């Protein structure tokens, strides 16, 4: 079989199509890059784009957005790794632990020079993951055949999106998952088509699933990409290698639970079975996106508040990508995640959108690249009309999203959403003894421990939800229930849902039997410190909830 025949075995081209800007230089031709007064090479533009993304994400990092409960949980769990545990409370398999294991490996570096682990320090780790993801978005775009300008556009469209800045700064498992998923996709679409790359893609996918279980939704897209880009005679080996590698990595999780006798449900111990049932069956649904007033509608509205182009345009472009062989794997990923999000009655966390946004940006840039190529191949009149149409479409998109993007980026760079948090911490530092039992959202845990409170989870800062969520430990350490708590710190995490409070009797009683002593911010940034009083109820739960609305 000739080399030419071997090339025809591949169903789609395996690398970027050579274009005038990509063609190699010939002897005697003028050099187009490098040297004084000549155009900068691709690496320079990529470096400048990555630097811009990093700058936008790191500016005002400790001021916006306000700290979130999950951020504190993952930082506290990373802190617990140094103590030989997987969580600062009972680890109940709600998520695989690879995410905070990675976080712990990075937080250990500043700890060597005396910088204690905190949410702010962990947010800098998120910027590092964002930079790596941005580079991988560019690499994936090039692998899919996008020209350099459109590949840079995909990177910037993702990295500078206000929604990505908002979600990407926060210490979320989804952000830790991104480079592994995008990296796996870049490996399976690589034009080199080496078997080790497919094994590496399987390892990356396995780590992604052990970082955040929702990464499993990328599996169909990875298989489609591998099947389309792999060399046909060795395609089966590539698929088997990827599946075996990912299976071996993911298998470490149930193996760990099995060795601890916690794989299946049983009396007086946590289990993977119980955690899976909670996540898939017992957890309350968020309603539907189109149902005004539902949790899902509120989540969608929060996404579109920051960016309408990526969520809406990305889904539309992803559907179009299904018809383009070179871009089909990206279309499959975007469509799969959109279908799961639209399922009726499912639970929809606000961070779900993080996993689809890089691929939405690639889909939009890919369709734009295809459109400009199609226009350039037409006759003079059609070419002129097509270019005019593309320019008009671009101007319409800029007019649609430009003002919103500029306003939201300004918010990210100037807002002080964490100021009430800092004020509450300063008040507790100045006015409370270190043996005071404080129940608060988990975002306060590592900060108070760094200030001298105990780290055992019960004699120091108490994760408020554990008053009801960890009954075995509570009976052993807080025998008087809510009466064992001295102070409450209420913020949006606790006050966000009246139903959540009413479903947690210990936390609700502590709130009802408390009186306010200090308060900062209002509504979305409200932080209130309350002293727990052992006696008649001091306030109504509804009044406290309404105060935050």
């Amino acid at each position: 079989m000739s080399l030419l025949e071997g090339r025809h075995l591949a169903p789609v081209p395996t690398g970027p199509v050579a274009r005038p800007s990509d063609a190699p230089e010939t002897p005697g031709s003028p050099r187009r890059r490098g040297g004084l007064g000549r155009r900068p090479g691709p690496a320079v533009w990529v470096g400048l784009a990555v630097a811009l993304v990093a700058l936008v994400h790191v500016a005002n990092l400790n001021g916006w957005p306000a700290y979130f409960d999950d951020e504190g949980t993952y930082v506290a769990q990373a802190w617990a790794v140094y103590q030989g545990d997987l969580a600062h409370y009972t680890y109940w398999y709600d998520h695989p632990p690879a995410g905070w294991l990675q976080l712990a490996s990075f937080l250990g570096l500043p700890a060597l020079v005396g910088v204690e682990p905190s949410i702010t320090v962990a947010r800098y780790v998120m910027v590092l993951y964002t930079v790596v993801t941005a580079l991988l978005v560019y690499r994936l775009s090039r692998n899919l055949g996008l020209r350099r300008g459109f590949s840079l556009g995909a990177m910037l469209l993702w990295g500078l999106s206000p929604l990505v800045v908002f979600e990407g700064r926060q210490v979320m498992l989804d952000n830790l998952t991104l480079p592994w998923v995008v990296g796996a996709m870049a490996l399976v679409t690589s034009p080199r088509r080496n078997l080790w790359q497919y094994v590496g893609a399987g390892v990356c996918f396995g780590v992604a699933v052990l970082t955040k279980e929702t990464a499993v939704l990328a599996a169909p897209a990875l298989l489609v990409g591998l099947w389309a880009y792999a060399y046909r005679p060795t395609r089966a080996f590539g698929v088997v290698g990827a599946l075996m590698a990912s299976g071996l990595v993911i298998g470490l999780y149930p193996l760990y639970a099995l060795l601890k006798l916690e794989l299946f449900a049983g009396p007086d111990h946590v289990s993977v079975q119980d955690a899976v049932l909670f996540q898939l069956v017992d957890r309350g649904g968020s309603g539907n996106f189109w149902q005004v007033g539902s949790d899902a509608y509120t989540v969608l509205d929060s996404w579109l508040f920051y960016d309408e182009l990526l969520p809406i345009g990305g889904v539309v472009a992803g559907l179009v990508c299904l018809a383009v062989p070179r871009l089909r794997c990206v279309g499959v990923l975007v469509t799969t995640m959109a279908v799961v999000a639209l399922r009726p009655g499912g639970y929809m966390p606000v961070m779900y959108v993080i996993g689809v946004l890089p691929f939405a940006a690639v889909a939009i840039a890919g369709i734009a690249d295809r459109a400009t190529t199609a226009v350039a191949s037409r006759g003079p009149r059609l070419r002129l009309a097509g270019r005019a149409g593309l320019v008009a479409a671009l101007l319409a998109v800029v007019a649609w999203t430009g003002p919103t993007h500029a306003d939201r980026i300004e918010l990210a760079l100037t807002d002080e959403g964490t100021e009430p948090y800092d004020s509450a911490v300063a008040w507790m530092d100045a006015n409370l003894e270190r043996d005071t039992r404080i129940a608060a959202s988990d975002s306060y845990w590592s900060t108070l421990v760094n200030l001298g409170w105990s780290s055992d989870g019960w004699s120091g800062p108490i994760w408020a939800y554990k008053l009801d969520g960890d009954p075995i430990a509570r009976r052993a350490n807080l025998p008087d229930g809510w009466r064992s708590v001295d102070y409450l710190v209420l913020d949006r995490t606790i006050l966000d849902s009246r139903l959540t409070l009413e479903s947690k009797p210990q936390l609700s009683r502590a709130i009802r039997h408390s009186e306010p002593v200090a308060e900062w911010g209002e509504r979305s940034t409200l932080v209130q410190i309350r002293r727990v009083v052992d006696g008649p109820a001091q306030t109504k739960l509804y009044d406290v909830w309404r105060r935050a609305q």
Side-chain angles (χ1 to χ4, degrees):
M1 182 176 64
S2 69
L3 180 61
L4 182 61
E5 291 172 337
R7 290 181 61 187
H8 283 300
L9 290 174
V12 296
T14 59
V17 177
R19 296 178 174 85
S21 62
D22 301 331
E25 299 174 6
T26 57
S29 65
R31 294 176 62 88
R32 292 191 298 271
R33 59 177 68 91
L36 183 63
R38 294 184 174 88
R39 290 188 302 171
V44 174
W45 293 115
V46 172
L48 290 174
V50 170
L52 178 60
V53 170
L55 178 63
V56 171
H57 279 258
V58 81
N60 195 34
L61 184 69
N62 61 342
W64 187 89
Y67 297 131
F68 185 54
D69 185 62
D70 285 8
E71 294 186 272
T73 298
Y74 301 136
V75 172
Q77 289 172 322
W79 185 93
V81 171
Y82 297 119
Q83 315 305 314
D85 297 316
L86 286 179
H88 55 314
Y89 286 92
T90 303
Y91 174 58
W92 62 284
Y93 299 95
D94 53 332
H95 296 297
W100 56 89
L101 289 175
Q102 296 173 56
L103 187 60
S105 66
F106 285 101
L107 293 181
L109 298 178
L112 295 176
V113 294
V115 179
E116 298 294 340
S118 66
I119 295 178
T120 299
V121 175
R123 283 188 172 185
Y124 283 99
V125 178
M126 296 303 102
V127 175
L128 174 63
Y129 272 70
T130 296
V131 167
V132 174
T133 302
L135 289 170
L136 290 172
V137 167
Y138 176 81
R139 183 68 265 163
L140 172 62
S141 301
R142 294 292 289 153
N143 289 352
L144 296 175
L146 275 66
R147 286 170 285 182
R148 289 195 180 98
F150 288 95
S151 298
L152 283 172
M155 179 203 294
L156 294 175
L157 184 63
W158 173 76
L160 299 182
S161 164
L163 179 57
V164 174
V165 175
F166 173 73
E167 298 282 7
R169 287 183 175 188
Q170 299 182 70
V171 187
M172 298 292 178
L173 297 180
D174 306 76
N175 291 319
L176 294 166
T177 303
L178 275 187
W180 298 104
V181 176
V182 181
M185 188 72 82
L187 284 172
V188 301
T189 57
S190 172
R192 296 185 179 183
R193 300 185 296 179
N194 294 324
L195 181 60
W196 73 263
Q197 291 178 295
Y198 306 138
V199 174
V203 172
C204 287
F205 176 70
V207 174
V209 173
L210 292 187
T211 303
K212 185 65 179 290
E213 62 278 4
T214 51
V216 74
L217 297 176
L222 287 169
L223 289 175
V224 169
L226 196 159
W227 193 260
Y229 280 84
Y231 185 51
R232 185 173 297 177
T234 59
R235 179 187 290 165
F237 293 100
V239 172
V240 171
L243 291 176
M244 289 186 63
S246 61
L248 288 173
V249 174
I250 296 172
L252 295 174
Y253 184 51
L255 177 61
Y256 169 81
L258 181 63
L259 293 176
K260 291 195 66 179
L261 302 179
E262 293 176 345
L263 183 61
F264 301 105
D268 298 327
H269 72 78
V270 296
S271 69
V272 173
Q273 180 183 348
D274 287 332
V276 171
L277 288 176
F278 169 78
Q279 297 283 18
L280 299 180
V281 179
D282 300 335
R283 198 167 196 169
S286 301
N288 302 316
F289 282 135
W290 53 87
Q291 182 183 352
V292 178
S294 68
D295 290 342
Y297 181 89
T298 302
V299 168
L300 177 62
D301 186 61
S302 70
W303 296 342
L304 300 183
F305 172 80
Y306 290 106
D307 189 356
E308 296 178 333
L309 178 59
L310 272 188
I312 297 176
V315 171
V316 173
L319 292 173
V320 178
C321 285
L322 294 176
V324 182
R326 183 181 292 276
L327 303 174
R328 186 167 293 145
C329 56
V330 171
V332 169
L333 193 148
V334 174
T335 304
T336 299
M337 297 198 70
V339 169
V340 172
L342 292 172
R343 73 195 190 282
Y347 175 69
M348 182 51 54
V350 69
M351 64 286 296
Y352 177 85
V353 73
I354 293 174
V356 73
L357 291 178
F359 302 98
V362 174
I364 293 173
I367 295 303
D369 190 6
R370 297 283 297 187
T372 56
T373 302
V375 167
S377 65
R378 302 298 180 182
R381 292 184 179 179
L382 291 177
R383 187 185 307 148
L384 181 61
R387 287 176 177 173
L390 291 175
V391 171
L394 178 61
L395 292 175
V397 169
V398 171
W400 171 35
T401 63
T404 299
H405 275 59
D407 180 70
R408 303 301 185 260
I409 291 295
E410 181 183 3
L411 177 71
L413 299 180
T414 61
D415 190 66
E416 296 295 335
T418 61
E419 186 174 354
Y421 174 97
D422 296 333
S423 298
V425 169
W427 187 94
M428 288 184 283
D429 184 25
N431 294 280
L432 300 183
E433 299 294 334
R434 295 307 186 257
D435 59 353
T436 304
R437 284 183 167 178
I438 304 169
S441 67
D442 231 8
S443 58
Y444 291 88
W445 192 89
S446 60
T447 301
L448 293 177
V449 168
N450 292 337
L451 289 175
W453 267 265
S454 172
S455 62
D456 68 3
W458 296 105
S459 60
I462 303 168
W463 189 5
Y465 287 138
K466 290 299 180 179
L467 291 175
D468 296 279
D470 200 340
I472 297 176
R474 178 175 57 78
R475 285 196 296 267
N477 296 279
L478 299 177
D480 295 329
W482 64 268
R483 292 183 177 86
S484 301
V485 177
D486 300 315
Y487 282 84
L488 293 166
V489 182
L490 305 184
D491 57 10
R492 291 295 301 178
T493 301
I494 298 175
L495 297 173
D496 197 46
S497 173
R498 182 183 171 196
L499 179 62
T500 299
L501 290 177
E502 292 176 343
S503 65
K504 300 186 180 300
Q506 291 296 323
L507 178 57
S508 298
R509 288 175 190 141
I511 294 174
R512 285 196 294 265
H513 292 79
S514 65
E515 57 185 13
V517 295
E519 183 178 294
W520 301 268
E522 57 183 25
R523 307 188 75 173
S524 63
T525 61
L526 176 67
V527 176
Q528 187 181 81
I529 297 180
R530 302 177 68 90
R531 182 189 298 111
V532 178
V533 179
D534 186 6
Q538 302 294 308
T539 186
K540 295 181 179 178
L541 183 61
Y542 177 78
D543 293 336
V544 177
W545 177 81
R546 189 177 181 183
R547 172 71 182 83
Q549 304 310 303

